[in-house]
Amino acid sequence: MTTNDVQVAVIGAGFSGLGAAIKLKQNGFDDFVLLDRGQNFGGTWRDNTYPGAACDVPSQLYSYSFALNPNWTRSYGHQPEIHQYINDVADKYGIGAKTRWGSEVTHAEWNEDQARWIIDVTRDGTSEQYRAQILVGGVGPLCEPNLPDIDGIDSFGGKIVHSARWDNDYDFTGKRVAVIGTGASAIQLVPEVAKVAAHVDVYQRTAPWIVPRTERAYRPAENWAFKHVPGVQKVMRAAVYGLNEVTALGLTYAPNALKPVELACRTNISKAITDPELKDKVTPKFAVGCKRILRSNNWYPTLARPNVDLITDGISKITGSSVVSNDGTEREVDVIVVATGFHVTDSPVFEAIVGADGRSLAQVWAGTGMQGYKGTFIHGFPNLALMVGPSTGLGHTSMVYMIESQLNYLVDYLKQVREKGLTRVDVKASAQDEYNKGIQHALRNSVWENGGCASWYKDANGNITTLWPGFTFNFRRITRKFDIAAYDVERATAAASA
Ligand code: NAP
């Protein structure tokens, strides 16, 4: 097996990995490789092809600041358009030539003697190895599907499909469908499936809060202005950004300020549903914002359709041809759609990354929960920068903004590596501990902490290790410069450099 030496290896060609590749190139770090198990750019926007897949962050905010898209056709982007945008940006910056497709990273381990990451990859059934001074993890938190552990699910004789692994060749026309889950993915795909299926049983464990989706098509004059009138799109982007940041106030510091949002959600329900029993079933029993606030105009009307049933009794088991709910009712189905989310705080990726003391991220975080410094560096994992790492997720605005903040930090780190000849950079445990105490302190009054819900924002110990508390401009501020004093660093000796 040959070993390929590179200065930087980036894993994942989604928004964060592609962004890292572009920034590397722009700043003269040309000795890098981008590894991705798929066949094109897009990450989660490549993988989620279920009908109705769309973004619930306004399209004006859902692009890199350095590659605005004047061609958005709608105020909220749909999956094909976002996927296309990401691939167009990759083309524009020539990142394809640096990318190895079909390359699955199975193991990455820090080798202290060599001061390098040793990265094992399988590609077309063969093994490859990369040796990199710096590893950038751009795998994203929403990439590993979570399959529900329901009694008998393996014995189901029909089709089972996860929302993030959609089978576009499967024809749902006339089928009896069970959908498990009522999260962001389910509320988008069920309305589309229900249009063609004979019947859809929706298994809801927890009702989500849903605001109306104020989506509209852009007029040709608007797209013309985005393209030709300098600053128009930037001003619009700034306005949308500012409006969204207001929500951070309610989510993090003053959940009562979200009452108008709750009212909008209740009105959304009342407009579509008159049956009091169904109305009660779809009305959440926790504070708005505790789970992600969803957006839809067609979810409640879909539940009111004659060919859709909402089942809230819970699932006791699955047989060869049916789903049995806790009240003993057995419902025959042809296909089960599992829209049950992702392994976020327990991603299998964490098992594959092994740090300086021989322990994986999964082992290190088993005790503490996900912890890092500025969402990017993790003590004991030298020269590893994790994009969308611990405490960077959001409930109110675009992750692309957070990713770009991390890219600033990454670039400044790389420049210091280059200028100062740094060979090993590891965040100090004390700096990381203090940082995480600050995060937890900032979360203490948040709706995620006190809103009375269970969510993927929390890990198995009930700690919120996924979310950034407060305004995103504060994250932008603390990631503007690489604060080397928070790190233990080693430099190349003159002899070694020679
Ligand atoms: P999700 O929000 O985690 O929802 C999963 C759903 O499955 C929930 O209703 C959950 O119920 C249910 N569930 C999980 N395990 C179950 C089990 N064993 N039995 C019964 N029900 C079960 O997952 P998602 O919808 O895929 O969305 C994940 C994240 O992806 C979102 O929060 C969002 O950040 C992102 N996303 C965004 C968009 C968008 O921009 N529009 C679209 C899709 C996804 P409980 O609530 O009771 O746990």
Side-chain angles (χ1 to χ4, degrees):
M1 184 171 52
T2 53
T3 299
N4 307 287
D5 279 297
V6 286
Q7 188 192 13
V8 186
V10 182
I11 311 173
F15 255 116
S16 59
L18 171 61
I22 293 169
K23 291 292 163 188
L24 284 167
K25 214 174 160 197
Q26 285 180 331
N27 288 282
F29 297 94
D30 288 317
D31 183 15
F32 73 90
V33 66
L34 179 54
L35 303 166
D36 193 287
R37 62 187 175 188
Q39 295 300 331
N40 57 62
F41 293 94
T44 192
W45 291 104
R46 173 196 63 209
D47 294 342
N48 282 269
T49 59
Y50 60 79
C55 189
D56 56 13
V57 172
S59 44
Q60 292 303 338
L61 277 185
Y62 218 70
S63 64
Y64 300 110
S65 62
F66 55 84
L68 297 187
N69 179 11
N71 302 317
W72 290 125
T73 60
R74 306 188 67 79
S75 57
Y76 287 90
H78 288 223
Q79 179 269 338
E81 201 171 11
I82 298 171
H83 185 209
Q84 186 63 50
Y85 163 77
I86 297 171
N87 279 278
D88 289 348
V89 173
D91 277 352
K92 181 175 167 189
Y93 289 91
I95 303 302
K98 293 293 224 173
T99 310
R100 296 279 282 172
W101 297 117
S103 299
E104 173 118 31
V105 174
T106 54
H107 190 81
E109 183 156 355
W110 174 253
N111 182 305
E112 202 68 87
D113 296 335
Q114 299 179 29
R116 290 286 182 278
W117 280 95
I118 309 296
I119 303 149
D120 295 329
V121 172
T122 54
R123 187 167 188 266
D124 295 334
T126 58
S127 301
E128 288 183 354
Q129 200 168 66
Y130 287 84
R131 185 164 49 194
Q133 185 192 356
I134 291 158
L135 179 63
V136 178
V139 291
L142 303 175
C143 71
E144 297 294 337
N146 171 37
L147 300 172
D149 184 17
I150 298 173
D151 186 24
I153 194 163
D154 293 335
S155 67
F156 183 65
K159 188 172 179 67
I160 300 185
V161 60
H162 188 276
S163 54
R165 297 288 181 271
W166 201 254
D167 179 354
N168 283 292
D169 293 330
Y170 184 81
D171 186 3
F172 280 78
T173 308
K175 296 291 193 311
R176 297 165 303 171
V177 186
V179 178
I180 303 175
T182 52
S185 304
I187 69 149
Q188 295 184 334
L189 69 88
V190 170
E192 299 306 315
V193 169
K195 285 178 191 165
V196 297
H199 192 86
V200 183
D201 294 323
V202 178
Y203 289 86
Q204 172 187 280
R205 196 163 64 178
T206 315
W209 286 110
I210 305 177
V211 291
R213 191 176 169 92
T214 50
E215 180 182 326
R216 67 179 182 85
Y218 282 130
R219 291 182 285 274
E222 289 174 289
N223 285 114
W224 184 90
F226 295 157
K227 204 173 274 180
H228 299 291
V229 184
V232 163
Q233 205 169 14
K234 279 191 182 156
V235 169
M236 201 158 163
R237 185 177 164 98
V240 177
Y241 172 78
L243 275 175
N244 277 17
E245 281 305 287
V246 176
T247 312
L249 264 178
L251 292 170
T252 314
Y253 309 109
N256 278 338
L258 297 171
K259 283 287 169 200
V261 180
E262 182 183 323
L263 191 63
C265 294
R266 288 185 184 278
T267 310
N268 204 15
I269 295 171
S270 302
K271 273 187 180 163
I273 296 177
T274 48
D275 173 11
E277 198 185 326
L278 183 56
K279 213 169 170 174
D280 183 55
K281 281 181 176 178
V282 300
T283 304
K285 312 293 185 265
F286 57 88
V288 70
C290 184
K291 281 173 180 286
R292 190 177 176 88
I293 300 168
L294 308 182
R295 294 179 187 275
S296 176
N297 297 333
N298 56 6
W299 173 247
Y300 297 125
T302 297
L303 294 183
R305 284 174 71 117
N307 71 333
V308 176
D309 283 329
L310 183 71
I311 296 140
T312 55
D313 296 317
I315 300 169
S316 72
K317 63 174 178 180
I318 291 174
T319 72
S321 60
S322 66
V323 179
V324 183
S325 48
N326 282 334
D327 65 353
T329 310
E330 183 167 357
R331 295 174 178 87
E332 296 273 329
V333 286
D334 304 303
V335 49
I336 299 175
V337 174
V338 284
T340 43
F342 300 88
H343 288 284
V344 180
T345 54
D346 59 347
S347 173
V349 174
F350 301 157
E351 283 159 31
I353 299 179
V354 176
D357 69 357
R359 289 187 303 155
S360 66
L361 275 177
Q363 287 170 318
V364 170
W365 284 344
T368 61
M370 294 196 304
Q371 288 195 359
Y373 183 67
K374 301 195 173 179
T376 313
F377 289 89
I378 298 130
H379 174 67
F381 293 78
N383 298 10
L384 167 70
L386 206 58
M387 303 300 297
V388 195
S391 309
T392 56
L394 300 173
H396 71 286
T397 191
S398 174
M399 277 313 294
V400 185
Y401 184 89
M402 297 298 274
I403 288 169
E404 283 200 56
S405 301
Q406 286 192 280
L407 293 179
N408 291 342
Y409 199 58
L410 176 70
V411 167
D412 205 43
Y413 153 70
L414 288 166
K415 284 181 177 169
Q416 297 209 33
V417 166
R418 180 165 60 193
E419 284 158 20
K420 298 182 172 134
L422 306 180
T423 53
R424 188 187 193 279
V425 178
D426 190 11
V427 66
K428 292 175 181 163
S430 55
Q432 182 170 301
D433 286 348
E434 200 172 318
Y435 179 79
N436 283 286
K437 276 186 197 137
I439 295 273
Q440 293 308 318
H441 185 73
L443 284 165
R444 72 197 183 287
N445 294 324
S446 72
V447 70
W448 308 299
E449 189 68 61
N450 307 300
C453 76
S455 77
W456 64 258
Y457 296 152
K458 288 185 178 173
D459 65 15
N461 300 320
N463 297 320
I464 301 171
T465 53
T466 51
L467 291 175
W468 170 251
F471 301 113
T472 56
F473 51 76
N474 283 332
F475 188 70
R476 177 63 56 97
R477 182 177 47 75
I478 65 164
T479 48
R480 203 168 290 284
K481 286 270 162 228
F482 186 71
D483 45 341
I484 198 165
Y487 293 79
D488 289 318
V489 299
E490 288 175 17
R491 291 178 166 78
T493 60
S497 304

